[in-house]
Amino acid sequence: MEALDLKLLRSFRRLWAQALAIALVLACGVAILLMAFGMERALGDTRDAYYERNRFADVFARATRVPDHEMGRILAIDGVRAGEARVEHYAILDLPGKVETVTGLVLSLPVNGGPVLNVPLLRSGRMPDADASDEVLLNEPFAEANGLALGDRFSANLDGNRREFRVTGTVLSPEFIYTLGPGALMPDNETFGILWLPERVAEAAFDMQGAFNSLSVKLDPAARAEEVIDRIDDILAPYGGLGAHGRDLQLSDSFIDAELKQLRNTALILPPIFFGITAFLVNMVIGRIVLLERSEIGLLKALGYSNAEVCLHYLMLAGLIACLGVLIGWAAGSWLARGLAQIYAQFYEFPYLIFRTPLDAYGLSGVLALATAGLGAAQSALAVARLAPAVAMSPPAPPRFKRNFIDRLLTRLGPSQAVMMVLRSLVRWPIRSGLSILGLSLAVSVLVASGFFQDALDEMVETSFYQANRQDAALIFSPEIPETALADVANLPGVIRAEGQFYQAAVLCNGHLSKDVSIEARRPGADLARILDADARVVEPPAGGILLSERLADQLAAQPGDIIEVELKGGRNETHQVRVSGIVRQYFGLGAYMELDSLSALLRQAPRVTTAHLRLDQNSLPELHALLKETPSLSGLSMMTEIRQSFRDTIRQNVIIMTTVYSVIAVLITVGVAYNGARIQMSERARELASLRILGFTRAEVSFILVGETMLLALLAQPVGWLLGAGIAGLLAETSANDLYSIPLVLKPAGFATASLVVLGAALISVLVVRRRLDRLDLVQVMKTRE
């Protein structure tokens, strides 16, 4: 081993604490990059494989009632490879030992063999016998959540007829990776399940002999989905077609896509922060080492080492730090990616997980880490290369300072000598001070940006679940019922108030822009389900007009006063011109609202309702559930109280995990910056601090100079960190918006205060660790050392 190699290893060993602090910051960036890439790749690969193996359809459509013979026309469309029709209907289930009403989505199984598309993956038991009238398949999460085993029996209210079924098997389906019940925002396997019945049984139960109401289509690879969708819409229009759509609007797939997009954004936004801090820390540490080793550099060159060899020596020292960070980051990132991917796979109900080591992500993170460290050390290493041996062996010229207005201001203010020394140090090294402030501010920004999620979700819950939707439960009717039937609903046991709402499938068009939506229509003065504007004030849809949510209006480029086309689906399929009356705020979905009489007039029918919002007497719930299990025309029940609690529980758990992870990250950044800054300050000012001790300054006064400078930098970093954090939070909120939901940018003082307390606490602990060296300072030896 050559002398330079030995020197390299000794320097690395001597600097182990500072190197480790830098490596941990770098490891955070590498780990997050690997975690985000690994999870995104694992979820994406698993989803693609699941879709391909189980022949997930490309186009979906629903209608009221389509004769079976129309399938021939659909299969004849250019680009259609396969198609499958089925009966799909909601039902009320009565599970043994369960008082609460449970909602099920019934799907028919083809007579001849299993499904061709969206093939359920059998997890236990067997498929139902096509000739049996009481056999059923259940989705596995629903069966497990309700303790239903093979052979167990339960009852179902199928369009007013009570039927008893026996469980023959459990399955998972590519259609229901993320299973949402009617009106739900989070999966709840206890109250909503999927049932597969033999086609003959489903058709008889819902009076659909010789007809279907749900269609799935697989396309040729070269087919144009838009053209096929248009042709299917034309064929289904006379039969109450509700509009065909591609995978992008399939509910389960939309949620998976949104999650993958979020992971990609994480990989793009967060790692650069850590790489930037690492470059600064490496620059600071290598720069100080070069300054301390000037005479050794001169000696090396005098002994014949070339400029390139000496320059490479310091670059390799930075490279060793980077390698340590990469190894830690790879280990942590691999563990996190695999572990979190498995949690995601269970949450999203994948039957298996395909996790392949993302070699390109490992290579990319390694290259970026080495490049970051090299960039940070480049300035000092190049300075070493330019240093002549004779110059290097002489002491460096002392820095030149000039008295300026800040000195005059300090003199006039008359602070103590210790304070004066702290302030002058900051002013006379402005670049280093500025970069230290930037590094610490990034730690603050990470906490502010991550902490905003909790406040944003609280805002979403408060607005959506307590201000806009204040009902205790929602009854869903299929088909819709006359509005006059609400009087019967109001007389159900425990019902204090009942309000009706009508959903109408439609396509809204503004010029060349269009969007498939569901228009919600209600009576003025509705109190249980309300519409709010941007200031959280209740807004009533005006007669003849339509209110649009902000994101829907943006997608249609529509403003209040514009006239848009409303193409109604599922009935007469007529198109009307409607004025946009206003823009309202909505965090979930793309909302469009009309007054019930106005929409009924467009449909040329008496007012009808598809949903009844209820306020309930909680003491009468058992009696109400018992009656609803026998009620015909009822397709589902959403208990909003349970939905709110489920949403809060899930969100709280995620927020705790996120807050912990990002707090650890922020502490590592702070320690990396504060500890290295204090160590360098200690190294540079050891002679000065020793002189003060000899002149009679107490340990506390001398410690104040060391601790005060670091803490002053940390304090100055707070407002910068708040601004950066607010910017990153805004970017995260903007990039997370999609058709399913949008996250509002909510920044509260408590979030900023928490971020500052964490960073200031970590900075104080870091500098106190360095301060202990002052107690062990050998004053005589320090005074003999060349400055």
Side-chain angles (χ1 to χ4, degrees):
M1 183 175 291
E2 295 187 0
L4 271 182
D5 296 329
L6 285 173
K7 179 180 180 303
L8 177 65
L9 294 177
R10 286 171 180 165
S11 297
F12 187 69
R13 186 176 61 186
R14 178 166 52 87
L15 295 169
W16 72 269
Q18 290 173 268
L20 181 60
I22 299 172
L24 287 175
V25 175
L26 184 61
C28 287
V30 173
I32 290 178
L33 189 66
L34 271 186
M35 180 184 70
F37 265 113
M39 288 175 57
E40 191 264 348
R41 194 76 57 83
L43 288 181
D45 290 348
T46 303
R47 181 191 63 172
D48 294 344
Y50 193 19
Y51 283 177
E52 184 179 356
R53 293 173 188 175
N54 293 73
R55 300 193 286 278
F56 187 54
D58 298 309
V59 176
F60 304 83
R62 293 203 64 208
T64 303
R65 182 186 178 91
V66 186
D68 284 341
H69 64 77
E70 291 292 357
M71 274 305 293
R73 294 177 61 195
I74 293 170
L75 293 174
I77 297 173
D78 286 342
V80 172
R81 174 183 292 181
E84 191 165 70
R86 68 186 180 190
V87 175
E88 178 179 325
H89 209 288
Y90 285 106
I92 295 297
L93 310 182
D94 184 6
L95 304 184
K98 198 174 184 70
V99 175
E100 294 81 9
T101 305
V102 175
T103 303
L105 177 62
V106 175
L107 303 175
S108 65
L109 288 168
V111 175
N112 302 320
V116 176
L117 301 178
N118 309 320
V119 181
L121 181 66
L122 195 63
R123 302 282 288 178
S124 66
R126 60 173 176 80
M127 301 291 281
D129 188 329
D131 295 326
S133 60
D134 64 343
E135 294 187 351
V136 64
L137 274 181
L138 298 179
N139 64 318
E140 186 180 47
F142 174 70
E144 291 177 349
N146 289 282
L148 292 171
L150 300 182
D152 286 351
R153 292 181 174 275
F154 65 91
S155 299
N157 182 348
L158 303 183
D159 208 17
N161 298 312
R162 186 177 180 86
R163 299 285 300 273
E164 188 169 285
F165 292 99
R166 180 167 55 89
V167 180
T168 64
T170 60
V171 296
L172 289 175
S173 168
E175 277 187 280
F176 304 103
I177 295 173
Y178 193 82
T179 310
L180 287 179
L185 296 174
M186 302 289 290
D188 186 352
N189 293 316
E190 283 193 31
T191 60
F192 179 70
I194 313 297
L195 296 78
W196 284 264
L197 298 180
E199 186 176 81
R200 184 175 56 82
V201 178
E203 286 183 347
F206 300 109
D207 192 22
M208 294 288 289
Q209 290 90 345
F212 64 90
N213 63 359
S214 175
L215 173 70
S216 301
V217 169
K218 190 73 178 174
L219 303 180
D220 288 328
R224 297 189 61 180
E226 296 79 8
E227 294 179 357
V228 174
I229 288 173
D230 289 342
R231 290 284 297 118
I232 291 175
D233 280 341
D234 292 341
I235 294 172
L236 299 186
Y239 307 106
L242 298 175
H245 58 82
R247 285 182 180 179
D248 58 322
L249 295 181
Q250 204 267 346
L251 191 59
S252 171
D253 189 70
S254 297
F255 272 95
I256 302 297
D257 258 350
E259 187 61 47
L260 293 174
K261 179 184 175 186
Q262 190 73 26
L263 289 172
R264 284 192 288 271
N265 290 337
T266 301
L268 292 176
I269 294 175
L270 289 181
I273 295 176
F274 298 97
F275 292 139
I277 296 172
T278 301
F280 158 64
L281 292 176
V282 170
N283 177 272
M284 190 166 62
V285 171
I286 298 296
R288 180 58 189 167
I289 292 172
V290 167
L291 195 62
L292 291 174
E293 294 183 351
R294 279 177 62 94
S295 59
E296 294 177 38
I297 294 168
L299 186 60
L300 288 171
K301 291 189 175 183
L303 290 174
Y305 287 97
S306 67
N307 290 337
E309 288 175 313
V310 178
C311 175
L312 184 62
H313 167 74
Y314 289 99
L315 288 176
M316 289 178 66
L317 181 58
L320 281 179
I321 297 174
C323 287
L324 178 62
V326 168
L327 290 176
I328 297 173
W330 280 356
S334 301
W335 178 71
L336 285 172
R338 185 178 290 275
L340 291 176
Q342 289 174 342
I343 293 174
Y344 270 58
Q346 293 174 357
F347 180 76
Y348 284 114
E349 299 172 4
F350 284 108
Y352 44 78
L353 175 67
I354 298 176
F355 186 89
R356 289 181 291 196
T357 303
L359 295 178
D360 53 346
Y362 282 90
L364 176 65
S365 59
V367 169
L368 287 175
L370 289 171
T372 297
L375 187 65
Q379 181 187 13
S380 300
L382 291 175
V384 166
R386 291 192 296 264
L387 203 61
V391 176
M393 296 186 72
S394 60
R400 298 181 61 184
F401 300 116
K402 292 190 298 183
R403 186 177 176 82
N404 54 30
F405 74 97
I406 296 178
D407 294 286
R408 289 191 289 274
L409 178 62
L410 291 176
T411 303
R412 179 165 297 181
L413 293 174
S416 67
Q417 290 177 313
V419 173
M420 182 78 82
M421 292 177 71
V422 169
L423 296 175
R424 279 180 173 166
S425 177
L426 296 186
V427 172
R428 287 173 178 172
W429 301 98
I431 296 178
R432 190 172 70 188
S433 300
L435 291 175
S436 297
I437 290 172
L438 180 61
L440 292 167
S441 67
L442 288 174
V444 180
S445 70
V446 168
L447 283 174
V448 171
S450 61
F452 109 92
F453 275 109
Q454 182 170 0
D455 294 331
L457 292 172
D458 286 343
E459 167 74 11
M460 293 170 71
V461 170
E462 175 64 24
T463 302
S464 302
F465 290 156
Y466 293 97
Q467 296 184 21
N469 295 286
R470 311 194 301 174
Q471 66 275 49
D472 296 320
L475 295 179
I476 299 159
F477 302 99
S478 180
E480 67 268 15
I481 60 173
E483 189 188 25
T484 52
L486 279 177
D488 297 329
V489 175
N491 289 326
L492 291 173
V495 175
I496 300 172
R497 183 186 178 98
E499 295 176 355
Q501 181 165 297
F502 185 74
Y503 289 95
Q504 173 61 47
V507 179
L508 305 187
C509 303
N510 186 27
H512 68 286
L513 302 173
S514 65
K515 197 70 183 178
D516 288 37
V517 299
S518 180
I519 299 176
E520 300 178 26
R522 59 191 69 167
R523 289 285 182 192
D527 186 59
L528 299 181
R530 308 185 302 177
I531 308 167
L532 304 177
D533 65 8
D535 298 321
R537 294 174 302 197
V538 177
V539 180
E540 300 290 354
I546 187 169
L547 297 173
L548 303 180
S549 63
E550 292 171 329
R551 282 175 293 131
L552 179 57
D554 288 342
Q555 293 189 25
L556 293 174
Q559 299 293 328
D562 290 351
I563 302 295
I564 63 173
E565 289 186 354
V566 177
E567 183 183 345
L568 301 174
K569 295 286 188 180
R572 298 177 186 277
N573 294 325
E574 295 176 339
T575 300
H576 301 272
Q577 306 286 323
V578 180
R579 181 181 298 278
V580 177
S581 303
I583 309 295
V584 298
R585 174 167 294 176
Q586 182 174 329
Y587 297 131
F588 295 102
L590 301 175
Y593 307 93
M594 291 185 70
E595 197 271 329
L596 183 56
D597 281 338
S598 299
L599 182 58
S600 300
L602 296 182
L603 292 167
R604 286 186 277 165
Q605 65 180 23
R608 301 177 71 81
V609 297
T610 51
T611 302
H613 300 293
L614 308 179
R615 176 162 294 158
L616 300 174
D617 175 5
Q618 300 297 319
N619 296 324
S620 302
L621 284 182
E623 189 179 353
L624 175 65
H625 281 298
L627 188 61
L628 292 179
K629 290 175 182 177
E630 308 295 335
T631 302
S633 299
L634 181 61
S635 297
L637 171 67
S638 297
M639 295 301 295
M640 297 303 293
T641 308
E642 296 176 3
I643 289 174
R644 292 184 186 105
Q645 190 59 45
S646 170
F647 190 82
R648 277 191 176 280
D649 291 344
T650 305
I651 293 302
R652 185 181 297 113
Q653 183 180 3
N654 292 337
V655 165
I656 290 173
I657 295 173
M658 281 183 57
T659 303
T660 304
V661 169
Y662 284 110
S663 295
V664 170
I665 287 172
V667 167
L668 289 177
I669 294 175
T670 306
V671 170
V673 176
Y675 180 79
N676 278 291
R679 281 294 304 269
I680 289 175
Q681 186 189 0
M682 178 81 182
S683 171
E684 289 178 346
R685 305 179 74 172
R687 186 182 176 89
E688 181 181 336
L689 297 176
S691 300
L692 293 175
R693 288 287 313 282
I694 293 171
L695 290 173
F697 279 69
T698 64
R699 283 183 178 176
E701 290 172 321
V702 174
S703 300
F704 174 80
I705 297 171
L706 181 68
V707 177
E709 181 172 335
T710 301
M711 294 310 296
L712 182 57
L713 289 171
L715 281 173
L716 294 173
Q718 302 309 307
V720 182
W722 296 340
L723 290 174
L724 288 174
I728 295 172
L731 186 61
L732 290 172
E734 184 179 346
T735 55
S736 66
N738 53 59
D739 286 358
L740 300 173
Y741 59 83
S742 66
I743 299 177
L745 178 61
V746 180
L747 298 168
K748 294 185 177 179
F752 294 107
T754 303
S756 294
L757 287 175
V758 171
V759 171
L760 289 174
L764 181 60
I765 293 173
S766 302
V767 73
L768 287 178
V769 170
V770 178
R771 193 216 67 82
R772 293 173 58 193
R773 291 174 173 266
L774 281 176
D775 299 334
R776 301 194 296 267
L777 210 60
D778 186 339
L779 301 181
V780 177
Q781 186 62 35
V782 170
M783 295 303 293
K784 288 180 178 178
T785 305
R786 189 180 69 174
E787 193 169 14

mmCIF file of all heavy atoms in Angstrom, residues 13 74 116 135 153 231 287 358 379 461 508 515 524 559 591 759:
data_model
loop_
_atom_site.group_PDB
_atom_site.id
_atom_site.type_symbol
_atom_site.label_atom_id
_atom_site.label_comp_id
_atom_site.label_asym_id
_atom_site.label_seq_id
_atom_site.Cartn_x
_atom_site.Cartn_y
_atom_site.Cartn_z
ATOM 1 N N ARG A 13 -10.175 7.625 9.180
ATOM 2 C CA ARG A 13 -10.408 7.137 10.543
ATOM 3 C C ARG A 13 -10.460 8.296 11.519
ATOM 4 O O ARG A 13 -11.264 8.321 12.440
ATOM 5 C CB ARG A 13 -9.303 6.150 10.928
ATOM 6 C CG ARG A 13 -9.526 5.484 12.279
ATOM 7 C CD ARG A 13 -8.466 4.459 12.537
ATOM 8 N NE ARG A 13 -7.131 5.072 12.556
ATOM 9 C CZ ARG A 13 -5.999 4.385 12.648
ATOM 10 N NH1 ARG A 13 -6.045 3.058 12.694
ATOM 11 N NH2 ARG A 13 -4.838 4.995 12.673
ATOM 12 N N ILE A 74 -70.969 -5.431 -30.623
ATOM 13 C CA ILE A 74 -69.819 -4.913 -29.875
ATOM 14 C C ILE A 74 -68.540 -5.675 -30.231
ATOM 15 O O ILE A 74 -67.486 -5.084 -30.461
ATOM 16 C CB ILE A 74 -70.109 -4.994 -28.358
ATOM 17 C CG1 ILE A 74 -71.248 -4.028 -28.000
ATOM 18 C CG2 ILE A 74 -68.861 -4.688 -27.537
ATOM 19 C CD1 ILE A 74 -71.777 -4.182 -26.595
ATOM 20 N N VAL A 116 -64.067 -14.605 -18.932
ATOM 21 C CA VAL A 116 -63.000 -14.448 -19.931
ATOM 22 C C VAL A 116 -62.123 -13.256 -19.565
ATOM 23 O O VAL A 116 -60.907 -13.280 -19.754
ATOM 24 C CB VAL A 116 -63.622 -14.255 -21.330
ATOM 25 C CG1 VAL A 116 -62.534 -13.999 -22.363
ATOM 26 C CG2 VAL A 116 -64.460 -15.464 -21.707
ATOM 27 N N GLU A 135 -75.097 -21.017 -4.309
ATOM 28 C CA GLU A 135 -73.643 -20.983 -4.120
ATOM 29 C C GLU A 135 -73.095 -19.619 -4.527
ATOM 30 O O GLU A 135 -73.556 -18.999 -5.495
ATOM 31 C CB GLU A 135 -72.984 -22.096 -4.930
ATOM 32 C CG GLU A 135 -73.370 -23.476 -4.421
ATOM 33 C CD GLU A 135 -72.597 -24.599 -5.100
ATOM 34 O OE1 GLU A 135 -71.881 -24.328 -6.096
ATOM 35 O OE2 GLU A 135 -72.708 -25.740 -4.643
ATOM 36 N N ARG A 153 -73.105 -19.938 5.694
ATOM 37 C CA ARG A 153 -74.292 -19.431 4.992
ATOM 38 C C ARG A 153 -74.631 -18.027 5.479
ATOM 39 O O ARG A 153 -74.353 -17.666 6.620
ATOM 40 C CB ARG A 153 -75.491 -20.357 5.218
ATOM 41 C CG ARG A 153 -75.342 -21.714 4.548
ATOM 42 C CD ARG A 153 -76.554 -22.595 4.771
ATOM 43 N NE ARG A 153 -76.474 -23.831 4.022
ATOM 44 C CZ ARG A 153 -76.856 -23.968 2.760
ATOM 45 N NH1 ARG A 153 -77.397 -22.936 2.124
ATOM 46 N NH2 ARG A 153 -76.735 -25.106 2.120
ATOM 47 N N ARG A 231 -67.854 3.982 -30.325
ATOM 48 C CA ARG A 231 -68.730 2.996 -30.961
ATOM 49 C C ARG A 231 -69.587 2.282 -29.914
ATOM 50 O O ARG A 231 -70.779 2.025 -30.138
ATOM 51 C CB ARG A 231 -67.886 1.971 -31.753
ATOM 52 C CG ARG A 231 -67.223 2.537 -32.987
ATOM 53 C CD ARG A 231 -68.238 2.713 -34.139
ATOM 54 N NE ARG A 231 -68.792 1.420 -34.545
ATOM 55 C CZ ARG A 231 -70.059 1.100 -34.462
ATOM 56 N NH1 ARG A 231 -70.936 1.975 -34.000
ATOM 57 N NH2 ARG A 231 -70.497 -0.099 -34.848
ATOM 58 N N GLY A 287 -12.551 21.463 2.712
ATOM 59 C CA GLY A 287 -11.891 22.766 2.687
ATOM 60 C C GLY A 287 -11.096 23.011 3.955
ATOM 61 O O GLY A 287 -9.961 23.515 3.919
ATOM 62 N N PRO A 358 -34.163 -3.066 -8.029
ATOM 63 C CA PRO A 358 -34.031 -2.051 -9.099
ATOM 64 C C PRO A 358 -32.575 -1.657 -9.307
ATOM 65 O O PRO A 358 -32.097 -0.667 -8.764
ATOM 66 C CB PRO A 358 -34.867 -0.895 -8.546
ATOM 67 C CG PRO A 358 -34.784 -1.035 -7.063
ATOM 68 C CD PRO A 358 -34.654 -2.495 -6.763
ATOM 69 N N GLN A 379 -13.763 22.043 -5.422
ATOM 70 C CA GLN A 379 -13.132 23.352 -5.256
ATOM 71 C C GLN A 379 -11.835 23.244 -4.445
ATOM 72 O O GLN A 379 -10.786 23.756 -4.845
ATOM 73 C CB GLN A 379 -14.096 24.306 -4.567
ATOM 74 C CG GLN A 379 -13.517 25.705 -4.380
ATOM 75 C CD GLN A 379 -14.426 26.592 -3.529
ATOM 76 O OE1 GLN A 379 -15.361 26.104 -2.896
ATOM 77 N NE2 GLN A 379 -14.141 27.866 -3.504
ATOM 78 N N VAL A 461 -61.063 16.460 6.146
ATOM 79 C CA VAL A 461 -62.053 15.743 6.953
ATOM 80 C C VAL A 461 -63.100 16.709 7.498
ATOM 81 O O VAL A 461 -64.304 16.452 7.434
ATOM 82 C CB VAL A 461 -61.347 14.996 8.106
ATOM 83 C CG1 VAL A 461 -62.379 14.451 9.093
ATOM 84 C CG2 VAL A 461 -60.505 13.858 7.558
ATOM 85 N N LEU A 508 -70.092 16.760 -19.574
ATOM 86 C CA LEU A 508 -70.081 18.222 -19.656
ATOM 87 C C LEU A 508 -69.066 18.636 -20.714
ATOM 88 O O LEU A 508 -67.924 18.150 -20.714
ATOM 89 C CB LEU A 508 -69.713 18.833 -18.302
ATOM 90 C CG LEU A 508 -70.576 18.406 -17.102
ATOM 91 C CD1 LEU A 508 -70.193 19.228 -15.871
ATOM 92 C CD2 LEU A 508 -72.058 18.546 -17.395
ATOM 93 N N LYS A 515 -65.857 16.266 -20.064
ATOM 94 C CA LYS A 515 -65.564 15.455 -18.887
ATOM 95 C C LYS A 515 -66.797 14.658 -18.503
ATOM 96 O O LYS A 515 -67.904 15.204 -18.414
ATOM 97 C CB LYS A 515 -65.159 16.375 -17.718
ATOM 98 C CG LYS A 515 -64.467 15.643 -16.605
ATOM 99 C CD LYS A 515 -63.085 15.170 -17.009
ATOM 100 C CE LYS A 515 -62.410 14.378 -15.928
ATOM 101 N NZ LYS A 515 -61.096 13.875 -16.344
ATOM 102 N N PRO A 524 -83.241 23.066 -2.606
ATOM 103 C CA PRO A 524 -82.666 24.198 -1.855
ATOM 104 C C PRO A 524 -82.944 24.018 -0.367
ATOM 105 O O PRO A 524 -83.986 23.485 0.026
ATOM 106 C CB PRO A 524 -83.417 25.407 -2.420
ATOM 107 C CG PRO A 524 -83.943 24.968 -3.749
ATOM 108 C CD PRO A 524 -84.209 23.495 -3.628
ATOM 109 N N GLN A 559 -65.829 29.325 -16.670
ATOM 110 C CA GLN A 559 -65.936 30.392 -15.673
ATOM 111 C C GLN A 559 -67.407 30.666 -15.393
ATOM 112 O O GLN A 559 -68.274 30.342 -16.219
ATOM 113 C CB GLN A 559 -65.265 31.677 -16.200
ATOM 114 C CG GLN A 559 -63.789 31.553 -16.492
ATOM 115 C CD GLN A 559 -62.970 31.342 -15.227
ATOM 116 O OE1 GLN A 559 -63.335 31.854 -14.163
ATOM 117 N NE2 GLN A 559 -61.879 30.592 -15.342
ATOM 118 N N GLY A 591 -67.099 17.546 -8.685
ATOM 119 C CA GLY A 591 -68.503 17.786 -8.415
ATOM 120 C C GLY A 591 -69.158 18.720 -9.413
ATOM 121 O O GLY A 591 -68.566 19.684 -9.886
ATOM 122 N N VAL A 759 -35.617 21.221 15.060
ATOM 123 C CA VAL A 759 -34.314 21.574 14.481
ATOM 124 C C VAL A 759 -33.441 22.303 15.513
ATOM 125 O O VAL A 759 -32.241 22.015 15.641
ATOM 126 C CB VAL A 759 -34.528 22.437 13.225
ATOM 127 C CG1 VAL A 759 -33.199 23.002 12.727
ATOM 128 C CG2 VAL A 759 -35.183 21.609 12.136
#
